[in-house]
Amino acid sequence: MSGSPGDIHPADRVALRVILAVGLVAGLGLTAMGVFTAITRVLDPARYPVSVLADVPVPLSGGDVIDAQADSVLVHTSGLSPEAVWLLASGDLVGALTLGAVTMSFCVVLWRVVQHQPFHRHMYTAALVAGCSIALGSLLSQGLGGLGQLMAAAELSDALGGVARPGFLFTPLPVVAGLGVLALAYVFRAGNRLQRDTEGLV
């Protein structure tokens, strides 16, 4: 007897369960490491380096290289102001919590797929949480950490011989990806409504 269209092959079900377990362990592990990093950065600022934008000429020794510049430097220091340290730690913490929220949402989605419920109402909630977490979490994480880098560059400028440049890099891709996941949440919602409307018709 053949299975229903929604059935999942046993091998696929096992693979999904393995991916779910590995993703859950890895995601929660990385989340815990991020939270630990944020706490440790506040307690011992010199333990973790801060990356600051810089304009450092790189000495050349021949070849076809015309020019080379280093655009950032990693600095271990205990001389940052508390404001800069807290901003950097806040960026680490928000990034870790974002990863944790996305991991849990990912696990909910996979679990519902394994349970033959690809359009369950929890799928909409999970996608909504994941999309908001990615978009807003990445925005806050980059913003807080970037302000910390900016302050650190200004405070370390003299110590680094004036090569540090106040500023930070912003990557918009995670925000765009988060908005894409939010759009996917409404696809799940529409699928759930369609599924309810067609129940009992076939």
Side-chain angles (χ1 to χ4, degrees):
M1 180 183 294
S2 61
S4 63
D7 284 345
I8 300 177
H9 191 278
D12 294 334
R13 187 179 295 112
V14 171
L16 287 173
R17 290 177 184 270
V18 171
I19 294 172
L20 190 155
V22 172
L24 180 63
V25 172
L28 294 183
L30 291 173
T31 300
M33 289 177 58
V35 173
F36 177 79
T37 299
I39 295 173
T40 307
R41 189 185 292 277
V42 173
L43 299 177
D44 184 12
R47 179 169 181 175
Y48 294 103
V50 55
S51 175
V52 297
L53 297 183
D55 188 6
V56 184
V58 177
L60 306 178
S61 59
D64 297 328
V65 179
I66 298 174
D67 184 37
Q69 298 280 331
D71 60 4
S72 66
V73 292
L74 289 176
V75 184
H76 284 86
T77 178
S78 59
L80 292 179
S81 66
E83 293 81 5
V85 172
W86 276 99
L87 283 171
L88 292 168
S90 297
D92 293 335
L93 181 61
V94 172
L97 296 179
T98 298
L99 179 58
V102 173
T103 296
M104 296 308 298
S105 300
F106 166 78
C107 291
V108 169
V109 169
L110 278 186
W111 179 250
R112 287 302 174 186
V113 171
V114 171
Q115 297 299 311
H116 306 164
Q117 298 173 327
F119 292 112
H120 192 276
R121 64 180 182 276
H122 290 166
M123 298 284 274
Y124 167 72
T125 303
L128 194 64
V129 170
C132 290
S133 297
I134 295 172
L136 297 179
S138 63
L139 187 64
L140 284 175
S141 179
Q142 291 189 74
L144 292 170
L147 289 175
Q149 289 178 310
L150 191 153
M151 291 184 65
E155 294 172 7
L156 297 172
S157 180
D158 292 337
L160 296 177
V163 299
R165 293 187 293 125
F168 63 92
L169 298 177
F170 177 77
T171 305
L173 182 59
V175 179
V176 176
L179 296 177
V181 175
L182 284 176
L184 183 61
Y186 289 94
V187 173
F188 285 130
R189 189 175 189 179
N192 177 257
R193 288 176 176 173
L194 180 62
Q195 182 174 278
R196 291 200 309 268
D197 292 341
T198 56
E199 283 178 354
L201 295 180
V202 179

